C-alpha cells in the first residue's frame, strides 16, 4: 500500500513524543487500498468507507486529474494538510433539504462511557465550478452502528460535535476542535452535515448568472481527523505531522524521475537522506554534510513509488517521488 511507510513514521514519531492515542485509524487518508480513479471513492482510503451518497478521495497518485493532488481540474488547487491525500464531500446543497455526503470509519477502540473525548479535524473549501457557497454544521456523529448509503444516518439536527462558524477559507486548512462525554460505547464516527437546510447557515461566494439553474452548494475537504482522551494530544499530533509532511519546504525534482533526483532546500542540520519503497524496505541511504542541494543517483532503483526521508536533529520530513522509465 503506497503510504504505509509514511504512516509508520508518523506512528513512531507519535510514540516518541506522545503517550496518548488517536482512535481514528488512517486519520490523514494516507494509507490506500488502491489509488482513486474517479469520484465517490473514499473507500479506497484504508479503513474509511462511504456513509452517504458519493464522498470523494483525493490523492497524489490519482491519474484522474479531477481528483489529483495538488492540482485538481474540477475542485481547484491545494496541498493536503498532511502528506499526500485527503477526502472531500458536499456539506450543503439546495438540490434538496437532505442532500448530504458523509464519510465514516470504525474507531480502533470503543469509547468508554463517562469519559471525555477531544475531537479535531481540518477543513478547507472551494469556490470552483458549481460550488457557489459555504456553510456551517460540518460535524462528527458517534454511533454504535455503521452507517452506509443503504442505511444512512438521519439528518435530524443532531450530532455530538459540529462547527458553528462558516468556514470560508479556500487556501488554508482550518483546524476545528471540540469535546464531548461519551454516553455509550461508540465504535464508529460519521463525518458530514447532520442538520437540515433550515438549521444550516450559508453564505454565497458569488451570484450565479440569471436564468440559470445553479444551486447553492458547499463542498469541504477534510484531513487530520483525531479523537483522543488527551486535550493536548490532537494539537501536538498535527504539529508533529506538519513537521513530517514538510509542505513546500523540501523540494524533490523532477517527479517522476529517471536517472537523477535532485533534492533542494535540505535543512542545514540534515545528516542523512533515506529512500524506502512502498513495502518499507530501505533502498538507499545517503550521508549528507551541510549540503542544501543534492543530486541522487536513482538509476538502479526499480520503477515504482518511493518515499524520501530527510532526517535532521529535530525532525523527520518526507517526500514521495515516482521512478519512471526515462
Amino acid at each position: 500500500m503506497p503510504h504505509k511507510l509514511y504512516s509508520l513514521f508518523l506512528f513512531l514519531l507519535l510514540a516518541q513524543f506522545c503517550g496518548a492515542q488517536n482512535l481514528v485509524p488512517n486519520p490523514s487518508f494516507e494509507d490506500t487500498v488502491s489509488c482513486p480513479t474517479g469520484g465517490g471513492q473514499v473507500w479506497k482510503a484504508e479503513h474509511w468507507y462511504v456513509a452517504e451518497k458519493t464522498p470523494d478521495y483525493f490523492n497524489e497518485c490519482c491519474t484522474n486529474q479531477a481528483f489529483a493532488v495538488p492540482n485538481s481540474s474540477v475542485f481547484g488547487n491545494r496541498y493536503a494538510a498532511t502528506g499526500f491525500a485527503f477526502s472531500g464531500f458536499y456539506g450543503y446543497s439546495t438540490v434538496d433539504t437532505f442532500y448530504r455526503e458523509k464519510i465514516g470509519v470504525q474507531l480502533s477502540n470503543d469509547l468508554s462511557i463517562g469519559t471525555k473525548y477531544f475531537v479535531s479535524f481540518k477543513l478547507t473549501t472551494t469556490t470552483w465550478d458549481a460550488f457557489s457557497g459555504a456553510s456551517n454544521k460540518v460535524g462528527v456523529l458517534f454511533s454504535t452502528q455503521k452507517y452506509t448509503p443503504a442505511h444512512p444516518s438521519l439528518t435530524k439536527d443532531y450530532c455530538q460535535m459540529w462547527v458553528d462558524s462558516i468556514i470560508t477559507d479556500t487556501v488554508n486548512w482550518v483546524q476545528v476542535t471540540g469535546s464531548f462525554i461519551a454516553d455509550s460505547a461508540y465504535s464508529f464516527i460519521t463525518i458530514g452535515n447532520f442538520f437540515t437546510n433550515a438549521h444550516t447557515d450559508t453564505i454565497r461566494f458569488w451570484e450565479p448568472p440569471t436564468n440559470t439553474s445553479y444551486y447553492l452548494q458547499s463542498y469541504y475537504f477534510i484531513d487530520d481527523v483525531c479523537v483522543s482522551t488527551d486535550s493536548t494530544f490532537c494539537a501536538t499530533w498535527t504539529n508533529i505531522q506538519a513537521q513530517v509532511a514538510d509542505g513546500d519546504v523540501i523540494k524533490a525534482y523532477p517527479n517522476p524521475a529517471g536517472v537523477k533526483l535532485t533534492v533542494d532546500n535540505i535543512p542545514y542540520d540534515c545528516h542523512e537522506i533515506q529512500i524506502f519503497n512502498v513495502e518499507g524496505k530501505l533502498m538507499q541511504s545517503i550521508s549528507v554534510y551541510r549540503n542544501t542541494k543534492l543530486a541522487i543517483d536513482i538509476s538502479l532503483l526499480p520503477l515504482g513509488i518511493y518515499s524520501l526521508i530527510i532526517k535532521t536533529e529535530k525532525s523527520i520530513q518526507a517526500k514521495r517521488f515516482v521512478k519512471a522509465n526515462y
Side-chain angles (χ1 to χ4, degrees):
M1 297 177 184
H3 302 318
K4 279 292 189 183
L5 172 66
Y6 183 84
S7 292
L8 174 61
F9 272 95
L10 287 180
F11 175 80
L12 292 175
L13 281 175
L14 294 177
Q16 176 183 355
F17 287 102
C18 306
Q21 179 186 10
N22 184 2
L23 299 178
V24 180
N26 195 15
S28 299
F29 306 93
E30 300 306 306
D31 296 338
T32 60
V33 175
S34 61
C35 291
T37 56
Q41 296 183 356
V42 72
W43 53 272
K44 288 191 173 183
E46 191 172 13
H47 298 294
W48 291 90
Y49 56 83
V50 175
E52 191 168 339
K53 296 295 192 291
T54 57
D56 301 311
Y57 182 36
F58 298 82
N59 195 301
E60 277 190 357
C61 68
C62 182
T63 56
N64 183 328
Q65 195 60 41
F67 303 94
V69 178
N71 302 313
S72 166
S73 60
V74 173
F75 296 87
N77 302 334
R78 66 189 26 80
Y79 287 91
T82 295
F84 318 102
F86 49 87
S87 181
F89 54 84
Y90 279 83
Y92 176 92
S93 177
T94 53
V95 170
D96 66 61
T97 305
F98 301 105
Y99 187 88
R100 302 287 185 267
E101 291 184 340
K102 298 169 185 171
I103 61 176
V105 69
Q106 184 171 2
L107 300 173
S108 56
N109 293 306
D110 294 351
L111 302 193
S112 298
I113 297 174
T115 298
K116 188 173 186 177
Y117 289 88
F118 298 87
V119 184
S120 75
F121 51 87
K122 292 178 182 177
L123 293 178
T124 185
T125 188
T126 179
T127 60
W128 202 259
D129 197 25
F131 309 117
S132 57
S135 58
N136 64 353
K137 299 298 175 65
V138 173
V140 181
L141 177 68
F142 290 80
S143 63
T144 57
Q145 68 179 99
K146 178 180 179 179
Y147 293 112
T148 66
H151 301 284
S153 59
L154 298 177
T155 302
K156 58 178 183 179
D157 298 325
Y158 172 77
C159 61
Q160 285 90 346
M161 180 262 186
W162 66 89
V163 185
D164 258 333
S165 59
I166 301 176
I167 293 177
T168 60
D169 201 321
T170 61
V171 177
N172 303 298
W173 289 88
V174 178
Q175 186 162 1
V176 175
T177 60
S179 64
F180 83 108
I181 297 175
D183 56 1
S184 188
Y186 296 121
S187 303
F188 301 89
I189 60 171
T190 306
I191 301 175
N193 180 2
F194 300 88
F195 293 77
T196 59
N197 286 8
H199 291 91
T200 302
D201 296 327
T202 62
I203 63 169
R204 282 192 180 275
F205 287 129
W206 47 270
E207 289 295 330
T210 57
N211 301 319
T212 62
S213 58
Y214 274 86
Y215 297 101
L216 174 57
Q217 300 185 118
S218 69
Y219 190 93
Y220 282 95
F221 306 98
I222 187 167
D223 207 351
D224 292 350
V225 184
C226 185
V227 176
S228 175
T229 56
D230 188 332
S231 62
T232 62
F233 174 72
C234 290
T236 304
W237 173 75
T238 52
N239 286 339
I240 292 172
Q241 288 201 95
Q243 268 193 316
V244 178
D246 89 52
D248 292 326
V249 177
I250 302 296
K251 305 294 183 183
Y253 57 87
N255 192 6
V259 177
K260 296 286 186 180
L261 179 73
T262 298
V263 184
D264 204 350
N265 287 350
I266 302 172
Y268 191 71
D269 60 342
C270 177
H271 299 305
E272 183 181 20
I273 293 177
Q274 295 176 324
I275 297 176
F276 291 82
N277 66 12
V278 294
E279 303 299 328
K281 180 182 178 181
L282 177 63
M283 304 299 291
Q284 287 184 226
S285 179
I286 303 99
S287 296
V288 181
Y289 181 73
R290 297 182 178 178
N291 289 324
T292 59
K293 185 176 182 179
L294 193 65
I296 301 174
D297 183 356
I298 59 169
S299 59
L300 298 181
L301 290 179
L303 304 184
I305 300 173
Y306 294 89
S307 290
L308 187 74
I309 306 301
I310 298 93
K311 293 184 176 182
T312 73
E313 294 176 354
K314 298 180 180 179
S315 68
I316 299 175
Q317 303 184 50
K319 270 291 188 185
R320 194 183 67 169
F321 72 92
V322 177
K323 167 66 186 296
N325 190 22
Y326 57 81

